[in-house]
Amino acid sequence: MAGIGKSMLAGHIADQVIGDHPGTQVITVRGALTVEHLVQILVADRPSLVILDQFDTNLTDGTITDRGLAAVLLCLMEEIADRDDERRRTRVIVTARQPLTLGPRILVHQLGALTWWSANEFARSLPRLGKLSNADREYAWRLTAGNPGSMRAFDARLADVTFAELADSLAKGIAARIGLVATALFPPGLDEPAAAAIAATVESVLNPPAVAAGVDAAPHAAAEPAGGKWRTKLRALLRVLSAAGVVAMIACAPLVIKSLIARSTTPAVAASAAAPYSAISLLFPFPSATVLVRAPSPAQHVPPAPTPEAAAATWLAGNVTSGTVIGCDPAMCASLSHQGVPQADLSPLRTGADLTTDALIVATPRARTLMGSAIAAAAPELAASFGTGTGQVQVREVTPGGVTAYSSLMAADVASRREGGNLILGNAGIKSAGDNWVVLCSGHVDSRILLALAEMAHSTPLTIASFGAPNPGAPQSVPVRSVLIDVANPVAAAAYLQVQDPSMQPLVVRIGHASLWVEFGAPSPLGLFQASS
């Protein structure tokens, strides 16, 4: 569907091709296509990647409307796939909203909704969604049915309204249109009509302005160079393919096309090296299509990413349980305070200070200079990290006994989480959707989730729909802290989470129509499952 990422994925592939094969010409054609146009762009004498974007204009019920175009495209696909000449190697990418069947040379990949893990990574790259908590980003993922285009529009709209106001408007719109409660939606499991209805609701509520995707210059006719006579004959011959005798011509079309291509010359291209896209000057006018040529190595503007310090502060503010003492250098403490972390939870780092009184330590470059090896000695577990190299910011968890006891404690905790995951899988009251069993068996689920699932299953059957995203930059040993479950009575299930032990209190509980989202705060405690069992 629109906004799901077809054109974006094609663009990423093009970027990778240019990087791996310098000198490759990338030609993007958006909109309607003619036979002459198709041949013109596929007879290049240099390596080419041709992207036929928004190809639906040429389709009716998944079939190319112009039978002549279909025949020539099929023949050219066969011809270019069998080329041995590296100098004329060509590949074609087609993006469309409806299925397209076009011979065995076409590999079809269906794009669906983003999973929560992927959506969370994408949302964190956006300027406004990236600053929200995991729970709010998860709710935005549901409200937009996991559609990247809708999530980007959601992010842009947050410049004008609050998250709560926007989420409420979308939730009401979805309920009115399809009768589903937004908190109960699981995007990868939506059928196509429901996903399309949600996308239409998002569009009507957000009403994002149209933005040009690139240079929209109409191609123009250029003077016909030497060799134009054969092109005149080619146009006349190709028109025959669209006539009533097209079926009889298909059998000999590969020989005709190969003969014509063997005598072809490179089209005249007017490409500006100063811009990533420029209009292509074609031998024939094609007013119905937008043609863009991508220069091999343009400099493209990318919005600046947040600094590792800013990213770490945002993550800590949205993911750490209140009351967790965080050791930080003065600048990081000020940033965390600005993000809303209570002053009582901040412990300014000082040379010679006892770090074992903290729960987490933010190891910025300044903190490492100030404290030296004391941070790694007291806090050997890497809970999260941001950035790379000498500028990396690490969030480290203080472990009882420090680095000396850490290895044995972590090994025991992973083993107990694996055992607990297997017990969950063996519980008759708990089902696991998809490949969640792999996460459970690997010991990659927070002990608090395992205990909560077992407690809830005592009174009501439930299904594990998905687990949340792992901590950014954390090693595999650090478990996931959130889970989405499907349950008939989520209110009753949530009641079992209201426990007296502060270490078992969830950070976020969101109740849906028939689902429950539970997220525990960082850090994930070591040894909790053994002690509780």
Side-chain angles (χ1 to χ4, degrees):
M1 61 170 59
I4 205 69
K6 302 180 297 296
S7 299
M8 182 182 294
L9 180 58
H12 282 307
I13 295 173
D15 290 337
Q16 189 170 34
V17 168
I18 290 175
D20 295 342
H21 305 280
T24 298
Q25 174 179 257
V26 177
I27 302 175
T28 301
V29 181
R30 295 196 178 109
L33 189 63
T34 65
V35 171
E36 295 95 335
H37 191 182
L38 177 66
V39 174
Q40 181 69 32
I41 62 178
L42 291 182
V43 296
D45 288 333
R46 60 182 292 189
S48 302
L49 174 65
V50 177
I51 300 175
L52 305 180
D53 196 18
Q54 301 173 10
F55 198 69
D56 299 84
T57 307
N58 306 286
L59 302 177
T60 302
D61 296 329
T63 302
I64 298 177
T65 307
D66 186 335
R67 298 171 64 196
L69 177 64
V72 173
L73 182 57
L74 178 59
C75 293
L76 281 171
M77 293 292 187
E78 294 292 326
E79 195 277 336
I80 65 175
D82 291 332
R83 285 181 189 171
D84 296 325
D85 188 350
E86 292 288 341
R87 296 170 300 177
R88 298 176 56 247
R89 184 64 58 84
T90 300
R91 288 295 181 267
V92 179
I93 297 175
V94 181
T95 71
R97 298 188 190 183
Q98 51 186 302
L100 174 64
T101 303
L102 191 64
R105 297 292 190 177
I106 298 293
L107 303 178
V108 179
H109 181 72
Q110 184 76 24
L111 294 186
L114 293 178
T115 64
W116 162 234
W117 287 46
S118 299
N120 193 39
E121 289 299 309
F122 175 63
R124 286 171 52 198
S125 72
L126 299 175
R128 298 172 187 87
L129 281 174
K131 295 179 180 179
L132 301 179
S133 67
N134 269 2
D136 285 342
R137 287 196 294 268
E138 185 267 342
Y139 193 34
W141 167 66
R142 291 173 179 277
L143 289 167
T144 56
N147 185 305
S150 297
M151 290 179 66
R152 192 184 297 277
F154 189 106
D155 179 85
R157 192 73 177 86
L158 287 176
D160 304 315
V161 298
T162 67
F163 176 82
E165 292 171 336
L166 186 57
D168 185 61
S169 296
L170 285 173
K172 289 179 179 177
I174 291 170
R177 186 180 289 258
I178 61 175
L180 292 178
V181 178
T183 52
L185 297 176
F186 184 57
L190 288 172
D191 57 28
E192 190 171 338
I198 293 175
T201 302
V202 172
E203 184 176 0
S204 64
V205 172
L206 302 182
N207 192 26
V211 178
V215 177
D216 192 11
H220 59 277
E224 190 167 292
K229 290 184 178 180
W230 77 264
R231 295 182 187 277
T232 301
K233 294 179 180 179
L234 172 63
R235 289 198 296 270
L237 177 60
L238 291 174
R239 289 194 185 98
V240 175
L241 292 174
S242 299
V246 64
V247 176
M249 290 291 295
I250 290 178
C252 63
L255 298 177
V256 174
I257 295 297
K258 289 183 179 180
S259 174
L260 292 172
I261 290 175
R263 295 184 290 164
S264 68
T265 57
T266 305
V269 177
S272 169
Y277 296 97
S278 60
I280 182 171
S281 178
L282 298 167
L283 296 177
F284 318 119
F286 304 107
S288 58
T290 300
V291 183
L292 305 172
V293 174
R294 180 173 300 189
S297 57
Q300 300 193 30
H301 173 70
V302 178
T307 64
E309 287 83 358
T314 300
W315 182 81
L316 284 162
N319 290 271
V320 175
T321 305
S322 179
T324 302
V325 180
I326 304 172
C328 45
D329 65 56
M332 177 55 70
C333 283
S335 181
L336 288 170
S337 179
H338 180 71
Q339 292 271 6
V341 177
Q343 199 66 37
D345 293 351
L346 303 178
S347 174
L349 296 174
R350 297 183 299 274
T351 303
D354 181 11
L355 299 182
T356 61
T357 60
D358 300 332
L360 293 173
I361 298 175
V362 189
T364 61
R366 183 174 181 180
R368 290 193 290 270
T369 301
L370 181 67
M371 305 302 296
S373 60
I375 294 178
E381 180 173 357
L382 179 63
S385 65
F386 306 85
T388 58
T390 57
Q392 185 180 64
V393 174
Q394 299 175 338
V395 178
R396 307 192 71 91
E397 182 178 351
V398 176
T399 303
V403 68
T404 304
Y406 174 69
S407 296
S408 58
L409 284 173
M410 176 55 71
D413 196 63
V414 171
S416 67
R417 280 188 262 133
R418 287 191 185 125
E419 181 182 0
N422 283 308
L423 290 173
I424 291 296
L425 289 173
N427 190 319
I430 301 176
K431 295 181 180 180
S432 177
D435 57 359
N436 293 318
W437 65 272
V438 177
V439 186
L440 285 164
C441 291
S442 67
H444 198 46
V445 179
D446 192 293
S447 302
R448 294 167 294 183
I449 292 178
L450 299 174
L451 292 169
L453 290 173
E455 186 67 27
M456 286 185 285
H458 281 313
S459 62
T460 180
L462 56 89
T463 299
I464 301 172
S466 68
F467 291 105
N471 294 355
Q476 188 74 12
S477 57
V478 177
V480 294
R481 299 177 289 103
S482 52
V483 63
L484 172 68
I485 65 173
D486 293 333
V487 59
N489 191 341
V491 175
Y496 284 89
L497 300 172
Q498 305 303 315
V499 295
Q500 298 299 318
D501 186 353
S503 66
M504 285 295 296
Q505 287 287 347
L507 180 67
V508 176
V509 176
R510 181 172 286 123
I511 298 174
H513 174 67
S515 66
L516 188 67
W517 170 263
V518 181
E519 179 178 350
F520 289 93
S524 296
L526 290 175
L528 181 62
F529 189 81
Q530 300 112 298
S532 300
S533 59

PDB file of all heavy atoms in Angstrom, residues 450-462:
ATOM      1  N   LEU A 450       8.801 -13.090  32.744  1.00  0.00           N
ATOM      2  CA  LEU A 450       8.528 -14.521  32.935  1.00  0.00           C
ATOM      3  C   LEU A 450       7.659 -14.746  34.168  1.00  0.00           C
ATOM      4  O   LEU A 450       6.681 -15.514  34.124  1.00  0.00           O
ATOM      5  CB  LEU A 450       9.840 -15.288  33.063  1.00  0.00           C
ATOM      6  CG  LEU A 450      10.794 -15.218  31.859  1.00  0.00           C
ATOM      7  CD1 LEU A 450      12.102 -15.910  32.192  1.00  0.00           C
ATOM      8  CD2 LEU A 450      10.154 -15.848  30.632  1.00  0.00           C
ATOM      9  N   LEU A 451       7.998 -14.069  35.262  1.00  0.00           N
ATOM     10  CA  LEU A 451       7.214 -14.224  36.485  1.00  0.00           C
ATOM     11  C   LEU A 451       5.804 -13.669  36.318  1.00  0.00           C
ATOM     12  O   LEU A 451       4.826 -14.256  36.802  1.00  0.00           O
ATOM     13  CB  LEU A 451       7.927 -13.524  37.645  1.00  0.00           C
ATOM     14  CG  LEU A 451       9.247 -14.174  38.090  1.00  0.00           C
ATOM     15  CD1 LEU A 451       9.995 -13.254  39.036  1.00  0.00           C
ATOM     16  CD2 LEU A 451       8.991 -15.527  38.738  1.00  0.00           C
ATOM     17  N   ALA A 452       5.662 -12.526  35.620  1.00  0.00           N
ATOM     18  CA  ALA A 452       4.350 -11.924  35.407  1.00  0.00           C
ATOM     19  C   ALA A 452       3.472 -12.809  34.535  1.00  0.00           C
ATOM     20  O   ALA A 452       2.267 -12.978  34.800  1.00  0.00           O
ATOM     21  CB  ALA A 452       4.512 -10.548  34.774  1.00  0.00           C
ATOM     22  N   LEU A 453       4.049 -13.389  33.473  1.00  0.00           N
ATOM     23  CA  LEU A 453       3.277 -14.275  32.604  1.00  0.00           C
ATOM     24  C   LEU A 453       2.769 -15.490  33.369  1.00  0.00           C
ATOM     25  O   LEU A 453       1.605 -15.900  33.228  1.00  0.00           O
ATOM     26  CB  LEU A 453       4.152 -14.719  31.426  1.00  0.00           C
ATOM     27  CG  LEU A 453       4.502 -13.662  30.381  1.00  0.00           C
ATOM     28  CD1 LEU A 453       5.514 -14.216  29.381  1.00  0.00           C
ATOM     29  CD2 LEU A 453       3.252 -13.187  29.651  1.00  0.00           C
ATOM     30  N   ALA A 454       3.647 -16.081  34.182  1.00  0.00           N
ATOM     31  CA  ALA A 454       3.246 -17.257  34.957  1.00  0.00           C
ATOM     32  C   ALA A 454       2.131 -16.910  35.939  1.00  0.00           C
ATOM     33  O   ALA A 454       1.181 -17.681  36.131  1.00  0.00           O
ATOM     34  CB  ALA A 454       4.463 -17.816  35.698  1.00  0.00           C
ATOM     35  N   GLU A 455       2.213 -15.724  36.536  1.00  0.00           N
ATOM     36  CA  GLU A 455       1.201 -15.306  37.509  1.00  0.00           C
ATOM     37  C   GLU A 455      -0.142 -15.086  36.817  1.00  0.00           C
ATOM     38  O   GLU A 455      -1.203 -15.539  37.319  1.00  0.00           O
ATOM     39  CB  GLU A 455       1.660 -14.024  38.206  1.00  0.00           C
ATOM     40  CG  GLU A 455       0.765 -13.570  39.333  1.00  0.00           C
ATOM     41  CD  GLU A 455       0.791 -14.525  40.516  1.00  0.00           C
ATOM     42  OE1 GLU A 455       1.810 -15.221  40.718  1.00  0.00           O
ATOM     43  OE2 GLU A 455      -0.232 -14.590  41.226  1.00  0.00           O
ATOM     44  N   MET A 456      -0.141 -14.403  35.696  1.00  0.00           N
ATOM     45  CA  MET A 456      -1.393 -14.129  34.991  1.00  0.00           C
ATOM     46  C   MET A 456      -2.034 -15.398  34.457  1.00  0.00           C
ATOM     47  O   MET A 456      -3.267 -15.528  34.426  1.00  0.00           O
ATOM     48  CB  MET A 456      -1.139 -13.143  33.845  1.00  0.00           C
ATOM     49  CG  MET A 456      -0.909 -11.716  34.310  1.00  0.00           C
ATOM     50  SD  MET A 456      -0.752 -10.531  32.930  1.00  0.00           S
ATOM     51  CE  MET A 456       0.897 -10.901  32.355  1.00  0.00           C
ATOM     52  N   ALA A 457      -1.201 -16.354  34.031  1.00  0.00           N
ATOM     53  CA  ALA A 457      -1.733 -17.592  33.449  1.00  0.00           C
ATOM     54  C   ALA A 457      -2.457 -18.453  34.465  1.00  0.00           C
ATOM     55  O   ALA A 457      -3.177 -19.388  34.099  1.00  0.00           O
ATOM     56  CB  ALA A 457      -0.601 -18.387  32.809  1.00  0.00           C
ATOM     57  N   HIS A 458      -2.271 -18.160  35.763  1.00  0.00           N
ATOM     58  CA  HIS A 458      -2.992 -18.914  36.792  1.00  0.00           C
ATOM     59  C   HIS A 458      -4.492 -18.713  36.671  1.00  0.00           C
ATOM     60  O   HIS A 458      -5.286 -19.589  37.019  1.00  0.00           O
ATOM     61  CB  HIS A 458      -2.543 -18.477  38.193  1.00  0.00           C
ATOM     62  CG  HIS A 458      -1.233 -19.075  38.614  1.00  0.00           C
ATOM     63  ND1 HIS A 458      -0.932 -20.406  38.472  1.00  0.00           N
ATOM     64  CD2 HIS A 458      -0.133 -18.501  39.156  1.00  0.00           C
ATOM     65  CE1 HIS A 458       0.285 -20.647  38.914  1.00  0.00           C
ATOM     66  NE2 HIS A 458       0.804 -19.493  39.340  1.00  0.00           N
ATOM     67  N   SER A 459      -4.896 -17.519  36.180  1.00  0.00           N
ATOM     68  CA  SER A 459      -6.323 -17.203  36.174  1.00  0.00           C
ATOM     69  C   SER A 459      -6.932 -17.103  34.788  1.00  0.00           C
ATOM     70  O   SER A 459      -8.150 -17.225  34.636  1.00  0.00           O
ATOM     71  CB  SER A 459      -6.558 -15.874  36.898  1.00  0.00           C
ATOM     72  OG  SER A 459      -5.882 -14.822  36.224  1.00  0.00           O
ATOM     73  N   THR A 460      -6.120 -16.865  33.770  1.00  0.00           N
ATOM     74  CA  THR A 460      -6.683 -16.672  32.434  1.00  0.00           C
ATOM     75  C   THR A 460      -5.683 -17.109  31.368  1.00  0.00           C
ATOM     76  O   THR A 460      -4.479 -16.859  31.496  1.00  0.00           O
ATOM     77  CB  THR A 460      -7.058 -15.194  32.214  1.00  0.00           C
ATOM     78  OG1 THR A 460      -7.609 -15.032  30.905  1.00  0.00           O
ATOM     79  CG2 THR A 460      -5.855 -14.283  32.354  1.00  0.00           C
ATOM     80  N   PRO A 461      -6.132 -17.793  30.322  1.00  0.00           N
ATOM     81  CA  PRO A 461      -5.212 -18.154  29.235  1.00  0.00           C
ATOM     82  C   PRO A 461      -4.794 -16.903  28.459  1.00  0.00           C
ATOM     83  O   PRO A 461      -5.557 -15.944  28.338  1.00  0.00           O
ATOM     84  CB  PRO A 461      -6.044 -19.099  28.367  1.00  0.00           C
ATOM     85  CG  PRO A 461      -7.460 -18.745  28.672  1.00  0.00           C
ATOM     86  CD  PRO A 461      -7.494 -18.292  30.095  1.00  0.00           C
ATOM     87  N   LEU A 462      -3.585 -16.932  27.940  1.00  0.00           N
ATOM     88  CA  LEU A 462      -3.074 -15.774  27.204  1.00  0.00           C
ATOM     89  C   LEU A 462      -2.146 -16.236  26.090  1.00  0.00           C
ATOM     90  O   LEU A 462      -1.667 -17.370  26.086  1.00  0.00           O
ATOM     91  CB  LEU A 462      -2.364 -14.804  28.152  1.00  0.00           C
ATOM     92  CG  LEU A 462      -1.205 -15.355  29.008  1.00  0.00           C
ATOM     93  CD1 LEU A 462       0.127 -15.240  28.273  1.00  0.00           C
ATOM     94  CD2 LEU A 462      -1.127 -14.628  30.345  1.00  0.00           C
TER      95      LEU A 462
END
